[in-house]
Amino acid sequence: MRKTKEEAEKTRKRILKSALNVFLNNGYSKTSLTDIAKNAGYTRGAVYWHFKNKSEILENLISKFHDRFSCEQSDILESPLDPAIKIVEMININLPLLYNDKEFRDFIELTWFKTEIDQHKGLLEGKTAITQMFNDAIENLLREASRTGSLKKGVDPEIAALSITSIINGIYRGYFVLPDKLRSEKKGRRIIENYLNQIISF
C-alpha cells in the first residue's frame, strides 16, 4: 500500500512538472490534457486519474508554490530576529527564488505572462492573497521597527510597505521585460538595499 501511495505521489509530481512545461510553452488556454499526458509519458486516462481537468492542475501548481512561500515567510515571522532584519529576510525569500530557482521562475512567467486571468478565477485570487499577505507582514514589521526606533523618522509604515511590495513586483516583472537590465541578482539586491537604507537604520 505504501509503495502504491508513493508511486501515485510520484506520478502526480511528474504530471505537475510536465504541465508547467507545456503550459509555459503553449500557453494555458492552448494546452490540453492530452498535451500534458504526452509530455509526461502517460496516457490521458492516467492524467484524469489524478486531475479532473487542466484547471485543477493549475490550481495545484498555484498551491504548491504559494504554500512554499507561505511556509518560509512564517518561519521568519516566528523567529526572534529584530523586525528590521526580518524585513530583509522576507525580501530575501523573493530574490533567490526568482534568480536561482528555474521551476519557480517558470511558474512566475506562466502565471504572469502565459495565463489569461479571466479564464481562471483561482489565479487572480492566488496572486491577490500572496501579495496581500506579504504586504501586510512587511507593514506590521515596519510598525514594530518604528516602535523599536530602527525606522527612520517621518517614514509612514503603510506607504513604505506598499513601496517594498511594488519594488519587488517591479523586479519580478522587469526580469522578463527588461532582461538586459534586471537579469542580475546583484542589481536586484542593489535596488532593494537602496530603498531600505532610506527608511531603516540598521
Side-chain angles (χ1 to χ4, degrees), residues 81-95:
L81 295 171
D82 179 85
I85 301 303
K86 285 184 180 181
I87 291 171
V88 174
E89 291 302 311
M90 290 279 286
I91 292 169
N92 283 341
I93 295 174
N94 290 272
L95 296 189

Side-chain angles (χ1 to χ4, degrees), residues 73-127:
Q73 179 171 294
S74 294
D75 288 344
I76 293 169
L77 294 175
E78 293 169 6
S79 74
L81 295 171
D82 179 85
I85 301 303
K86 285 184 180 181
I87 291 171
V88 174
E89 291 302 311
M90 290 279 286
I91 292 169
N92 283 341
I93 295 174
N94 290 272
L95 296 189
L97 285 174
L98 174 65
Y99 286 100
N100 304 320
D101 189 324
K102 184 179 184 303
E103 188 178 39
F104 180 82
R105 189 166 60 244
D106 286 347
F107 171 73
I108 293 299
E109 183 177 0
L110 166 65
T111 55
W112 283 28
F113 301 103
K114 300 291 184 70
T115 307
E116 302 80 354
I117 287 180
D118 60 346
Q119 291 188 7
H120 198 282
K121 182 181 178 182
L123 180 57
L124 179 58
E125 291 176 343
K127 283 185 177 182

Side-chain angles (χ1 to χ4, degrees), residues 5-179:
K5 287 183 178 179
E6 289 176 350
E7 289 174 347
E9 183 59 25
K10 184 178 180 180
T11 299
R12 280 178 61 85
K13 288 180 178 179
R14 185 170 174 178
I15 291 171
L16 289 173
K17 185 174 182 178
S18 170
L20 178 57
N21 291 332
V22 180
F23 284 152
L24 190 63
N25 291 330
N26 299 348
Y28 175 75
S29 64
K30 295 181 180 179
T31 297
S32 67
L33 284 182
T34 300
D35 295 329
I36 295 170
K38 184 177 180 181
N39 186 68
Y42 296 124
T43 64
R44 193 165 183 266
V47 175
Y48 264 123
W49 178 261
H50 294 278
F51 304 98
K52 62 184 179 182
N53 51 41
K54 69 177 183 178
S55 179
E56 185 178 12
I57 292 176
L58 182 57
E59 287 170 6
N60 273 263
L61 285 171
I62 293 169
S63 295
K64 172 184 175 181
F65 289 104
H66 285 189
D67 288 351
R68 174 180 172 182
F69 184 88
S70 297
C71 286
E72 291 189 32
Q73 179 171 294
S74 294
D75 288 344
I76 293 169
L77 294 175
E78 293 169 6
S79 74
L81 295 171
D82 179 85
I85 301 303
K86 285 184 180 181
I87 291 171
V88 174
E89 291 302 311
M90 290 279 286
I91 292 169
N92 283 341
I93 295 174
N94 290 272
L95 296 189
L97 285 174
L98 174 65
Y99 286 100
N100 304 320
D101 189 324
K102 184 179 184 303
E103 188 178 39
F104 180 82
R105 189 166 60 244
D106 286 347
F107 171 73
I108 293 299
E109 183 177 0
L110 166 65
T111 55
W112 283 28
F113 301 103
K114 300 291 184 70
T115 307
E116 302 80 354
I117 287 180
D118 60 346
Q119 291 188 7
H120 198 282
K121 182 181 178 182
L123 180 57
L124 179 58
E125 291 176 343
K127 283 185 177 182
T128 301
I130 200 73
T131 303
Q132 185 71 57
M133 179 178 65
F134 176 82
N135 189 81
D136 288 350
I138 291 294
E139 183 176 341
N140 289 335
L141 289 172
L142 286 166
R143 293 190 185 282
E144 287 184 40
S146 179
R147 288 191 291 271
T148 60
S150 55
L151 191 66
K152 291 184 178 180
K153 188 176 180 180
V155 175
D156 183 330
E158 180 183 10
I159 298 301
L162 288 170
S163 298
I164 290 171
T165 301
S166 298
I167 289 170
I168 291 176
N169 280 332
I171 291 172
Y172 267 56
R173 188 167 294 275
Y175 181 94
F176 299 101
V177 301
L178 295 170

